[in-house]
């Protein structure tokens, strides 16, 4: 039997629309190095990482075409009703739902994009609280990595960006990624 997939996770917010999104892209271990090679090949000169919000429309199409060719599968959690003053609460709610969903899939490792050390500590405390409440699958190993060091974190960044645009009516990017991505919506407030 093949080892379980790793889930790479990043978030996106659309504060003006009251949305907090968290995307997880599942990558089988046997596929990981090939995905990293493809992603690194998309870097422009002097670019250290891919980041959706820094790209123009033409470049986004290029990224979507390349990522779509990888046939990504995973899930996007869309938290609705985001209150600007309660972004961390929305993150915790989305994180809880995402970890529960990933526990229902063939996933062993969950790798979140590292933020700031204080914020990562809050995330780790959240994971421990979920474990204590048995609200996440015990087999999930959760860690945080920097996107400059792990190109696979660029996948959920691109997926979250495309999903964020789809939530406000610009669905072409998300559709171009294929049908391997489920979207779950729920209120966070």
């Amino acid at each position: 039997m093949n080892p379980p997939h790793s889930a790479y996770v990043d978030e996106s917010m659309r504060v003006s629309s009251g949305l907090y999104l968290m995307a997880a892209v599942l990558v089988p271990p046997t596929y990981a190095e090939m995905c990293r090679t493809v992603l690194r090949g998309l870097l422009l000169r002097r670019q250290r990482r891919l980041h959706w919000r820094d790209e123009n429309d033409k470049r986004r199409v290029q990224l979507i075409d390349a990522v779509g060719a990888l046939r990504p599968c995973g899930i996007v959690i869309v938290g609705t009703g985001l209150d600007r003053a309660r972004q961390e609460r929305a993150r915790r709610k989305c994180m809880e739902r995402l970890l529960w969903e990933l526990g229902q899939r063939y996933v062993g490792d969950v790798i979140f994009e590292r933020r700031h050390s204080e914020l990562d500590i809050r995330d780790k405390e959240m994971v421990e609280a979920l474990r204590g409440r048995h609200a996440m699958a015990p087999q999930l190993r959760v860690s945080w990595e920097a996107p400059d060091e792990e190109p696979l974190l660029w996948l959920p960044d691109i997926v979250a960006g495309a999903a964020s645009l789809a939530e406000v009516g610009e669905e072409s990017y998300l559709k171009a990624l294929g049908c391997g991505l489920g979207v779950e919506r729920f209120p966070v407030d």
Side-chain angles (χ1 to χ4, degrees), residues 57-76:
D57 289 341
K58 181 179 176 185
R59 180 84 165 123
R60 286 178 175 179
V61 169
Q62 180 186 14
L63 296 178
I64 290 293
D65 288 347
V67 171
L70 296 174
R71 304 188 68 205
C73 67
I75 186 165
V76 179

Side-chain angles (χ1 to χ4, degrees), residues 9 20 22 75 77 88-105 110 112 122-123 126-137 140 142 184 186-188:
V9 180
Y20 193 103
M22 195 168 272
I75 186 165
I77 302 296
E88 284 301 305
R89 181 180 189 284
R91 179 182 178 83
R92 288 191 307 274
K93 297 285 242 172
C94 289
M95 194 173 180
E96 179 176 8
R97 179 70 174 266
L98 180 68
L99 289 169
W100 184 87
E101 291 285 345
L102 293 174
Q104 308 306 305
R105 291 164 171 75
V110 180
F112 284 89
R122 287 185 196 172
D123 284 351
M126 174 67 180
V127 168
E128 290 310 309
L130 293 172
R131 285 191 198 286
R133 294 189 345 240
H134 305 287
M136 65 180 272
L140 293 179
V142 183
E184 299 280 333
F186 75 103
V188 292

Side-chain angles (χ1 to χ4, degrees), residues 1-4 106:
M1 177 185 262
N2 290 329
Y106 191 57

Side-chain angles (χ1 to χ4, degrees), residues 7 20 24 30 41 55 59 69 82 90 92 104 110 112 117 136-138 146-148 150 167 177:
Y20 193 103
T30 55
E55 305 291 353
R59 180 84 165 123
L82 170 67
R92 288 191 307 274
Q104 308 306 305
V110 180
F112 284 89
S117 60
M136 65 180 272
D148 291 354
E150 177 51 86
E167 289 296 315
L177 289 175

